[in-house]
Amino acid sequence: MTATRSSEPVFVSQIELARDLNLTDRRVRQLVDERVLPPARPEGHDLELSRQRYRLFSSGSEREWDLCFDEAEDIARIAGELDKRAFEDDAGLEDVKAASIAIQRSTVLMSFLTACKSKSDAERKMFWNIWDREEGQALSALLAHAMKLMGKTHLRTDDGELIEMVPPEERIAKKRPRPKKKRGRAKASTRRR
């Protein structure tokens, strides 16, 4: 597996991907759900990346797996460097975007390795929860930073909901009021003796 590609990715539909990999449409969905194949983007499935992952999953040699683990380490290191760069004083939106892409790419690869190499379903789910949480926290911080760089304070969701973006350094932990316990009288027994 290589970290760089020489040409632009080709995106295909799920049916086209299934045909290319000689799988059923249902099996492609299962492999995406199991994080063996990368998730589709709005433009479709990345054909070459899906081919590489499926080939490695189905018939990869020990040497190829070692190269994939090396690539995962490199991508994670680069993602960390880009994330750090995105928060430097002279960073711009392009730096934030580069960090976001790198973090997502790293998480997808770590999820793939977890899907293929975990010893049990419990182990797989535990690591997926870790990757999802870490990715969510990193992307949330990047989004808040991008909003700050653009001078925006609110974000409108696809549903039309308006969300206030508060940078992590401005968040104040608020104590939630505890529900008051109701003190009731002890009920008298209604049983006859």
Side-chain angles (χ1 to χ4, degrees):
M1 297 195 56
T2 59
T4 58
R5 293 187 216 167
S6 59
S7 62
E8 290 295 314
V10 174
F11 294 99
V12 296
S13 70
Q14 185 170 303
I15 293 171
E16 292 168 318
L17 180 60
R19 196 175 305 128
D20 185 81
L21 298 177
N22 199 26
L23 299 171
T24 64
D25 183 42
R26 182 170 188 240
R27 183 63 180 143
V28 168
R29 272 195 312 276
Q30 287 173 336
L31 291 172
V32 169
D33 289 345
E34 293 168 5
R35 302 186 189 198
V36 170
L37 293 177
R41 293 174 161 179
E43 52 272 42
H45 290 273
D46 183 327
L47 181 61
E48 187 57 34
L49 182 59
S50 296
R51 283 175 178 163
Q52 289 174 1
R53 296 277 169 83
Y54 184 69
R55 195 192 63 66
L56 186 60
F57 167 72
S58 61
S59 62
S61 68
E62 197 61 37
R63 169 91 175 111
E64 290 168 319
W65 279 108
D66 287 343
L67 290 172
C68 186
F69 277 100
D70 291 345
E71 179 183 5
E73 285 181 32
D74 291 342
I75 291 172
R77 181 185 44 75
I78 291 167
E81 291 168 1
L82 290 172
D83 187 53
K84 186 181 279 187
R85 168 70 186 125
F87 290 95
E88 290 177 359
D89 291 339
D90 62 339
L93 289 175
E94 286 303 314
D95 297 307
V96 173
K97 181 179 177 182
S100 173
I101 291 168
I103 288 167
Q104 291 174 69
R105 201 166 159 231
S106 177
T107 304
V108 168
L109 183 53
M110 293 306 293
S111 292
F112 166 71
L113 290 170
T114 299
C116 297
K117 294 297 184 177
S118 289
K119 303 277 188 257
S120 69
D121 192 46
E123 180 184 57
R124 192 174 2 269
K125 287 178 180 175
M126 178 191 72
F127 279 109
W128 282 345
N129 284 335
I130 292 168
W131 306 141
D132 292 347
R133 183 186 67 238
E134 293 294 319
E135 180 186 48
Q137 289 174 347
L139 294 179
S140 293
L142 287 169
L143 176 60
H145 189 61
M147 298 290 289
K148 182 179 176 183
L149 290 173
M150 293 185 298
K152 306 279 185 182
T153 58
H154 291 77
L155 176 70
R156 189 168 303 279
T157 66
D158 291 340
D159 298 337
E161 183 182 352
L162 197 61
I163 299 172
E164 182 179 12
M165 299 300 296
V166 180
E169 64 272 7
E170 293 178 18
R171 292 185 190 146
I172 298 173
K174 295 180 182 177
K175 289 186 178 179
R176 294 184 196 149
R178 292 186 181 192
K180 294 182 180 180
K181 293 182 181 179
K182 293 182 181 178
R183 295 185 183 242
R185 290 186 188 172
K187 292 186 179 181
S189 177
T190 57
R191 273 192 276 161
R192 288 190 179 175
R193 292 187 187 181

